[in-house]
Amino acid sequence: MSPILSIEEASHALQEGEIVGVPTETVYGLAANALDETAVKKVFEAKKRPLTHPLICHFPDKDSVARFASFRSPIEEQLSLLWPGALTLLLSHHSKISSIVHAGLPKASFRVPDHPIMLELLRRCNFPLAAPSANLSGCLSPTTASMVIEQLGSRIAGVIDGGACQVGLESTIVNVNENEEIEILRHGGISIEEIERKIEKKISKRPIKEMYATVGRKKRPISSGLQSRHYCPSSPLIVFLSETLPEGWEDTREVQETLQHYNVPVKQCCFLSFGDEYLPIGWGKIAFLSKKKDLQEASRRLFSCLSECCKEGFRLIFAHLLPAEGLGNAMNDRLYRASSHRFLLPS
Ligand code: TXA
Ligand code: MG
């Protein structure tokens, strides 16, 4: 098992070109010196991540970001006022960042995380940290140090234990295009409403912008968060495409057919609940995201609840959509992807 590292031990390991699990307010990251190509390669190898998926660079403050990137518009400047925080900004970069980090794209992604331990680590290192979420590619993002160890323990130098992540969802990724429009590339830990309040401007509710890179003759999404199958728990997740469920939903034909299809008795099923309505009777487990319907509490718990249900051996997980407001949008996005399109429409 990999050791728990102090900030000093972690900064030393990073200096030596090792890779380290680090806490942030969103999810745990797997960090490497962003200026050391060999170290960054180790991150891709440990995660089994394709080299075509670029990484986010983390900095201790905006001034250090500005040494590696250009803020080309007032909107980019305004957005950076949300730092430190769960916002990743795509910016034109200078050549110092290893091209393996940004996959050779003209814009790289930058973030100042809002976690005291991570900020202290970043101040100690005299280089930025390239860090994707510290999970195996396609699996659930870790929100505790033990979730990092479970997935990557033998592949990394160690992890700093910074406690449970306060946000629990990855950062919101934002690009400002040539027309000065804000494009949301990934819903995440800062809601659109919060961004709009900060910049005092409405963001048009266009669908998430898909960015593609050409690899050989094939076009593929450059953002792994855009893949339709992602954040997958090891037990299948079934998602009702509704915020509400009819009374007796667990006895409906759709649910019964699903149980038969997977050949799973209700005792081995788990229901992910927001609030305390719709609770099925006799099921193996009810995992409460938030009894008081608090979206922040629910986002903090989403990945750890999914991970616990799987670890405890539940063979099927059912969930319904969350209200499409605030962090609910990012959580619904994760639920869609984590279910790999195993959807049910309540009748
Ligand atoms: O909250 C977070 O963002 C966490 C913590 C550790 O900071 N990091 C994280 O990284 O979620 P990752 O690699 O799991 O997700 C970053 C997403 C990926 O989908 C990646 O393809 C996309 O950001 N991305 C990174 N750089 C990009 C770029 N230059 N252009 C477009 N997409 C980019
Ligand atoms: Mg990730």
Side-chain angles (χ1 to χ4, degrees):
M1 196 161 96
S2 66
I4 298 293
L5 303 177
S6 65
I7 299 178
E8 199 181 339
E9 288 166 333
S11 71
H12 184 70
L14 289 161
Q15 196 93 48
E16 297 289 304
E18 298 291 328
I19 57 174
V20 167
V22 291
T24 83
E25 81 282 32
T26 57
V27 298
Y28 273 71
L30 178 57
N33 176 352
L35 311 182
D36 177 347
E37 190 163 318
T38 314
V40 177
K41 264 194 191 133
K42 290 184 190 169
V43 169
F44 283 92
E45 277 159 21
K47 273 183 66 91
K48 302 191 179 157
R49 175 170 173 131
L51 285 166
T52 44
H53 288 171
L55 309 182
I56 298 172
C57 282
H58 298 71
F59 293 81
D61 47 47
K62 189 200 159 190
D63 287 349
S64 4
V65 173
R67 287 200 277 280
F68 289 84
S70 307
F71 291 83
R72 297 214 163 143
S73 78
I75 302 184
E76 287 173 344
E77 293 278 357
Q78 265 182 309
L79 286 166
S80 72
L81 297 175
L82 286 152
W83 287 334
L87 176 94
T88 292
L89 204 49
L90 258 60
L91 295 170
S92 305
H93 57 84
H94 306 164
S95 55
K96 283 180 273 186
I97 295 173
S98 163
S99 68
I100 187 177
V101 173
H102 49 72
L105 296 160
K107 283 188 170 183
S109 52
F110 296 84
R111 180 161 108 81
V112 178
D114 189 11
H115 191 292
I117 293 179
M118 179 64 167
L119 287 174
E120 174 62 29
L121 177 69
L122 284 162
R123 280 186 218 109
R124 275 181 191 230
C125 297
N126 56 356
F127 44 79
L129 293 177
S133 50
N135 52 287
L136 288 168
S137 233
C139 297
L140 285 174
S141 299
T143 53
T144 61
S146 60
M147 282 172 79
V148 177
I149 292 171
E150 275 157 30
Q151 288 198 49
L152 296 172
S154 59
R155 299 159 178 259
I156 60 180
V159 56
I160 308 180
D161 189 349
C165 299
Q166 283 304 299
V167 175
L169 294 173
E170 301 85 349
S171 59
T172 303
I173 305 181
V174 168
N175 178 47
V176 179
N177 69 18
E178 51 288 354
N179 303 322
E180 304 271 293
E181 294 161 336
I182 295 179
E183 298 168 343
I184 305 293
L185 303 187
R186 176 175 74 182
H187 285 294
I190 283 190
S191 66
I192 307 293
E193 292 90 326
E194 211 177 322
I195 299 175
E196 287 175 337
R197 272 198 298 276
K198 191 76 187 178
I199 62 170
E200 296 177 346
K201 198 174 167 182
K202 277 270 170 217
I203 299 175
S204 70
K205 294 273 183 310
R206 279 184 308 173
I208 296 241
K209 166 114 179 173
E210 301 238 343
M211 293 191 65
Y212 289 89
T214 308
V215 181
R217 294 223 313 272
K218 274 195 187 143
K219 267 184 144 193
R220 56 185 299 170
I222 52 170
S223 182
S224 44
L226 292 174
Q227 286 169 314
S228 62
R229 196 188 138 84
H230 204 62
Y231 313 106
C232 283
S234 52
S235 304
L237 169 71
I238 317 284
V239 175
F240 286 98
L241 295 181
S242 169
E243 287 172 33
T244 56
L245 294 176
E247 200 172 326
W249 62 267
E250 67 268 39
D251 299 322
T252 55
R253 186 175 50 82
E254 298 89 330
V255 174
Q256 292 305 317
E257 279 177 5
T258 306
L259 296 175
Q260 272 166 24
H261 172 79
Y262 288 97
N263 196 18
V264 175
V266 291
K267 276 271 166 242
Q268 291 177 12
C269 291
C270 173
F271 178 63
L272 221 54
S273 175
F274 184 67
D276 56 5
E277 302 146 277
Y278 320 125
L279 304 184
I281 294 164
W283 280 38
K285 174 169 170 143
I286 313 286
F288 288 101
L289 291 176
S290 170
K291 275 194 190 169
K292 52 179 197 264
K293 293 197 171 186
D294 176 313
L295 286 169
Q296 276 184 352
E297 181 182 31
S299 74
R300 198 158 53 234
R301 291 177 46 75
L302 179 65
F303 288 145
S304 62
C305 275
L306 285 169
S307 162
E308 275 163 28
C309 292
C310 300
K311 257 199 331 212
E312 289 164 13
F314 292 100
R315 290 172 52 211
L316 266 187
I317 307 168
F318 286 76
H320 60 82
L321 293 183
L322 295 141
E325 62 191 38
L327 293 177
N329 288 315
M331 275 187 279
N332 287 341
D333 167 76
R334 304 304 187 270
L335 287 172
Y336 290 135
R337 295 175 207 281
S339 73
S340 307
H341 297 281
R342 292 186 191 93
F343 298 143
L344 284 182
L345 280 172
S347 50

